Amino acid sequence: MSIIFNSATNLFHLQTRSMSYIFQALEGFPTHLYWGRKLNNPDASRLLQRTERCSFSPNPIPEDRSISLDTLPQEYPGYGSSDLRNPAYAVQLANGTTVTELLYVSHRIVNGKPVLEGLPAVYAESGDEAQTLIVTLADKLAGLTVELSYTVIEAFDAVIRSARIVNDSQSVIQLTRALSVSIDLPHDGFELLQLSGTWARERYIHKRALTPGVQAIESRRGSSSHANNPFFALLGEGATEDQGDVYGFSLVYSGSFTAGVEVDQYHTARAYMGINPFDFSWRLEPGEAFQTPEAVMVFSSAGLGSMSHTYHELYRTRLCRGAFRDAIRPILVNNWEATYFNFNADKIESIAKAGSELGLELFVLDDGWFGKRDSDNCSLGDWFVDPKKLPQGLEDLAERVRSHGLQFGLWFEPEMVSPDSDLYRAHPDWCLHVPGRRRSEGRKQLILDLSRADVQAYIIEAIGSILKSAPITYVKWDMNRNMSEIGSALLPAERQRETAHRYMLGLYNVLEQITIAFPHVLFESCSGGGGRFDPGMLYYMPQTWTSDNSDAISRLKIQYGTSIVYPISSMGAHVSASPNHQVGRVTPLKTRGDVAMSGNFGYELDLTAFTEAEKEEVKRQVEQVKEVRELVQYGTFYRLLSPFEGNETAWMFVSPDQREVLVVHVVELNEPNAPLSRLKLKGLRSDYSYEWIGTDEVVGGDELMYAGVAKSIPHSDYFSTVYRFAAQD
């Protein structure tokens, strides 16, 4: 059994293959005791040290001064009844007060993992691979009930948590804070690792030691954002890529979030994560409930790399869904940087024809095919074909592309509307706005109000009609601005602060209906590149355009940081023009291909402009990608050298049976007469002999891991080397 309850001590013990998570109902208070390496026979009396603190930490039980909520490690703390730290939840009751106190009432253990209604979530494929503990807490005076959900899947060292908050009173309750997880760790001896950046610099790795006070990341932008990803990790003392205790926190949500750690006066650390309470509230009528998104907490005793392996496999196989979860992804060409808005059917067909000759499999028509879209100033929302550019329509263009042996894909930005559009002129109230206030534009567009059922229905019908009109097998779903003037014309005054979360619920409903209606379509999420690269979107779309910055050297940091939590199968990575359109860098075509190969591979340039030498290099790249893409998609990913720590970056893939190996090494700036060095591999069988593909050498797995291979000597800047090995029979 994965979940054990000791009725004599009210102890809950959640287990996986090598992890234990333990808490206890102590005097009714859900008290956290332990999270870490697996324990066989834990004893609650040894796991919690109880002692009286000072009078400034009040005691809820006068006769037992060893218990103070201000020092007790808790599972879902409230505020106002003597815990003076950040709470997991907060409500305002009908009498205007905000003091509540949740106590244990009951629990149940169920096989499998219940779905979260209206929200993306990790799933179990069968009832016997997971168990879920649902603990019911209540404040009977307030009429407030909270159901805490904990799921463990035996194969993964993770605890998946969420909360359902129920109004059991006869009056309205205003929910003002509803986090998915809160956990009190016994010390603050951690480094906090976060993934932060901006457009074109997404998910850079940042580390800092915890100090007293609050260390937090968040988004108030209405999306998970380019600035901060809804993930952080706590690295124990001495933890590195390959050793030490690491605790990961990842939120399955795509809207505004908060996450962080509060270090208190006694140097304990309260980690938390959930919907951002800033400008949020939710009105709960009697009998109504609010479901939080879920947080996925991963423990590793073998460093960051092992934590990443858990997230990669869990998200790839138990978060991503549909036919493309396990399907090999096609090699594509996207016309955006080749043509921008300036194209016609003949130009598109010429790129598709060139792609066919080079071995590509999918053509994607990007922005500019609809309405009067000759720039980004108009037409979003008008999802009908521009007859000036495509006089014979999408079906004709798709067939012309398909006649060259390529599938046909299409770009949309369904959540947006241009003020200069037929849709906006017909429905000016359909966008997020506040009466009397300016409607701030970003990229000459506004955001449709997806909290409204009629707007959701329009998007589902409009996008569905296009997808039915032609043989479309791929959709790039873009979203190019963050929220401002967040208000809805249909919500009453007392519910206006629900708008942003209702938007996310509406978006998830739209995505659910469209992706189910078109199961043959591979959907890729995009938000100015990586502005909404989060687990919530992966539930509906198994891959995301990693960044609008396609420069290979910039992508070293972007893709490396992204790999901390997200599987390689989720990353879109393309070869683009040189000089690069974002940073102007001139990079060898080989290096651009070697970097993009470690993702869902494609091209984003004008294939018709290649020289004969470039065509031969692209043919070689395409052939190589077809040989290794199964390994890249399904293999175990190892980070070898970090671009955040030096002039070199290296990573590798190992097949599940440890017989196939792919290694990529990139040197950014060449150094004269540099020292010689070696690259030590990971994850191989020490007793295997590996053929070094492309040479006549055979090397032992032990030698590859412990002695390593000599690095190639660069002869230019931005120099890349690919090593491939195959175990001998």
Side-chain angles (χ1 to χ4, degrees):
M1 294 178 62
S2 299
I3 300 175
I4 300 170
F5 175 65
N6 185 329
S7 59
T9 59
N10 284 335
L11 187 79
F12 298 93
H13 185 184
L14 288 68
Q15 306 176 80
T16 63
R17 288 180 300 190
S18 53
M19 180 198 76
S20 288
Y21 185 101
I22 303 169
F23 66 97
Q24 178 185 32
L26 178 64
E27 301 292 348
F29 299 108
T31 303
H32 181 76
L33 302 182
Y34 177 83
W35 181 28
R37 304 184 192 209
K38 191 168 185 176
L39 303 180
N40 292 319
N41 297 296
D43 186 319
S45 65
R46 292 193 294 267
L47 293 177
L48 178 67
Q49 184 178 4
R50 294 168 57 177
T51 186
E52 181 181 356
R53 294 292 188 175
C54 67
S55 61
F56 287 92
S57 295
N59 309 111
I61 304 172
E63 59 272 19
D64 187 351
R65 294 168 67 175
S66 72
I67 296 178
S68 169
L69 296 186
D70 201 32
T71 60
L72 191 70
Q74 295 175 70
E75 286 290 303
Y76 205 70
Y79 177 80
S81 64
S82 74
D83 187 342
L84 306 179
R85 297 167 289 177
N86 269 318
Y89 73 96
V91 299
Q92 183 174 29
L93 305 176
N95 62 8
T97 64
T98 58
V99 176
T100 58
E101 188 169 89
L102 295 172
L103 297 174
Y104 169 79
V105 174
S106 63
H107 74 274
R108 64 186 190 275
I109 299 172
V110 299
N111 290 330
K113 184 177 186 295
V115 300
L116 296 190
E117 184 177 356
L119 286 166
V122 170
Y123 57 87
E125 285 203 323
S126 63
D128 59 359
E129 77 170 9
Q131 278 194 315
T132 299
L133 167 68
I134 301 171
V135 178
T136 300
L137 313 175
D139 181 328
K140 295 184 178 178
L141 178 64
L144 180 70
T145 298
V146 174
E147 295 176 347
L148 300 182
S149 175
Y150 302 76
T151 295
V152 285
I153 303 175
E154 175 65 21
F156 302 98
D157 290 333
V159 179
I160 304 161
R161 287 190 54 179
S162 65
R164 184 172 180 266
I165 301 170
V166 185
N167 180 3
D168 284 328
S169 75
Q170 300 302 308
S171 304
V172 171
I173 289 178
Q174 200 72 24
L175 184 62
T176 59
R177 186 178 179 94
L179 300 187
S180 300
V181 64
S182 179
I183 180 173
D184 290 335
L185 301 171
H187 62 84
D188 65 350
F190 297 103
E191 272 192 310
L192 185 148
L193 182 151
Q194 67 192 69
L195 303 177
S196 300
T198 185
W199 176 81
R201 280 193 291 107
E202 297 92 339
R203 292 171 301 285
Y204 277 27
I205 295 173
H206 299 268
K207 295 180 186 178
R208 50 182 158 148
L210 295 184
T211 61
V214 176
Q215 291 103 121
I217 56 173
E218 64 178 9
S219 169
R220 295 184 297 274
R221 298 173 176 272
S223 70
S224 48
S225 86
H226 298 86
N228 291 305
N229 198 262
F231 164 84
F232 70 90
L234 295 177
L235 283 61
E237 183 178 359
T240 65
E241 182 70 22
D242 301 306
Q243 66 181 21
D245 290 348
V246 176
Y247 302 82
F249 297 80
S250 175
L251 187 65
V252 186
Y253 188 62
S254 308
S256 297
F257 72 92
T258 187
V261 183
E262 179 180 11
V263 176
D264 70 4
Q265 58 193 324
Y266 298 111
H267 291 275
T268 63
R270 172 168 288 179
Y272 60 87
M273 175 174 273
I275 293 173
N276 199 328
F278 178 85
D279 201 34
F280 164 86
S281 68
W282 198 271
R283 181 180 173 91
L284 284 178
E285 299 286 347
E288 288 186 342
F290 180 87
Q291 175 64 57
T292 73
E294 68 183 20
V296 179
M297 304 161 54
V298 167
F299 170 74
S300 164
S301 61
L304 265 172
S306 178
M307 180 208 70
S308 297
H309 295 162
T310 299
Y311 275 120
H312 290 183
E313 188 68 9
L314 182 63
Y315 282 174
R316 188 182 67 79
T317 67
R318 295 296 182 272
L319 179 67
C320 295
R321 303 178 299 163
F324 291 95
R325 186 191 80 172
D326 301 321
I328 293 297
R329 311 290 167 77
I331 299 173
L332 65 82
V333 57
N334 182 299
N335 72 294
W336 178 240
E337 291 188 14
T339 67
Y340 293 102
F341 295 103
N342 183 26
F343 62 83
N344 56 31
D346 290 341
K347 178 59 178 178
I348 295 304
E349 184 179 6
S350 72
I351 296 175
K353 181 175 182 294
S356 175
E357 294 168 352
L358 297 171
L360 277 59
E361 300 161 323
L362 167 67
F363 177 88
V364 179
L365 179 61
D366 210 282
D367 196 355
W369 58 268
F370 56 92
K372 300 174 182 177
R373 186 79 164 171
D374 294 324
S375 70
D376 61 10
N377 293 335
C378 69
S379 297
L380 287 173
D382 295 345
W383 298 113
F384 50 84
V385 176
D386 180 356
K388 184 175 64 175
K389 290 180 183 175
L390 303 175
Q392 303 303 314
L394 274 182
E395 185 173 13
D396 171 74
L397 180 62
E399 290 301 339
R400 291 171 68 171
V401 168
R402 284 160 57 89
S403 71
H404 297 287
L406 274 68
Q407 301 175 55
F408 182 71
L410 200 59
W411 178 96
F412 290 93
E413 194 171 0
E415 300 165 63
M416 301 294 154
V417 63
S418 301
D420 182 6
S421 68
D422 293 347
L423 180 66
Y424 186 79
R425 285 184 281 272
H427 300 284
D429 62 327
W430 274 18
C431 68
L432 294 176
H433 68 282
V434 174
R437 295 290 180 187
R438 176 187 67 246
R439 300 185 180 192
S440 300
E441 297 177 14
R443 200 172 176 257
K444 289 291 185 178
Q445 59 196 58
L446 300 169
I447 303 178
L448 288 171
D449 179 5
L450 267 71
S451 73
R452 298 173 56 140
D454 52 356
V455 174
Q456 296 172 41
Y458 169 76
I459 294 175
I460 293 168
E461 192 282 328
I463 303 306
S465 294
I466 292 292
L467 294 181
K468 292 174 185 176
S469 71
I472 297 166
T473 60
Y474 170 100
V475 164
K476 180 179 179 181
W477 185 293
D478 212 343
M479 189 278 284
N480 281 309
R481 64 157 295 185
N482 290 143
M483 292 182 182
S484 61
E485 293 88 41
I486 303 174
S488 174
L490 290 190
L491 290 176
E494 64 272 17
R495 290 191 178 273
Q496 284 297 319
R497 295 177 77 193
E498 300 175 8
T499 304
H501 181 59
R502 287 187 179 275
Y503 178 100
M504 291 313 310
L505 296 178
L507 173 61
Y508 291 149
N509 174 57
V510 168
L511 295 178
E512 181 77 9
Q513 294 201 42
I514 290 178
T515 56
I516 286 178
F518 299 94
H520 66 285
V521 174
L522 170 58
F523 287 86
E524 179 178 87
S525 171
C526 178
S527 176
R532 204 163 58 184
F533 202 136
D534 59 64
M537 296 305 291
L538 288 184
Y539 183 74
Y540 304 98
M541 304 184 183
Q543 63 187 56
T544 299
W545 180 226
T546 313
S547 176
D548 277 349
N549 186 348
S550 55
D551 170 63
I553 303 307
S554 298
R555 278 297 190 102
L556 295 176
K557 288 183 176 179
I558 294 168
Q559 292 176 199
Y560 193 97
T562 303
S563 77
I564 293 290
V565 61
Y566 299 105
I568 305 306
S569 62
S570 67
M571 297 187 213
H574 296 173
V575 176
S576 60
S578 180
N580 177 263
H581 289 197
Q582 289 79 48
V583 300
R585 197 185 332 262
V586 176
T587 310
L589 180 55
K590 178 183 183 300
T591 301
R592 286 176 271 154
D594 289 347
V595 173
M597 178 172 59
S598 298
N600 296 309
F601 186 80
Y603 292 86
E604 192 148 341
L605 40 66
D606 190 347
L607 301 178
T608 66
F610 278 145
T611 66
E612 290 303 316
E614 288 171 331
K615 289 179 182 178
E616 290 306 310
E617 170 60 22
V618 168
K619 289 178 182 178
R620 185 199 64 79
Q621 290 177 1
V622 169
E623 181 181 358
Q624 179 172 254
V625 168
K626 289 178 179 178
E627 291 174 355
V628 303
R629 60 181 165 182
E630 187 170 344
L631 171 60
V632 169
Q633 187 167 334
Y634 305 131
T636 303
F637 177 77
Y638 293 91
R639 294 178 291 266
L640 303 179
L641 296 173
S642 170
F644 296 96
E645 297 174 2
N647 188 46
E648 303 172 73
T649 308
W651 61 90
M652 62 180 288
F653 301 87
V654 180
S655 64
D657 62 5
Q658 297 173 286
R659 299 187 66 84
E660 293 183 69
V661 183
L662 171 69
V663 185
V664 182
H665 175 229
V666 181
V667 177
E668 294 187 32
L669 299 181
N670 195 11
E671 297 182 14
N673 200 25
L676 302 178
S677 59
R678 303 179 71 83
L679 193 62
K680 294 182 180 180
L681 309 190
K682 300 177 184 178
L684 310 184
R685 283 280 297 265
S686 61
D687 57 339
Y688 277 8
S689 294
Y690 289 88
E691 175 191 356
W692 189 335
I693 295 175
T695 76
D696 56 2
E697 297 184 49
V698 175
V699 191
D702 51 356
E703 181 180 334
L704 290 170
M705 290 190 292
Y706 310 140
V709 296
K711 297 175 185 174
S712 298
I713 298 175
H715 53 258
S716 68
D717 291 342
Y718 317 128
F719 182 84
S720 64
T721 306
V722 172
Y723 306 85
R724 293 177 62 189
F725 301 91
Q728 289 190 321
D729 292 331

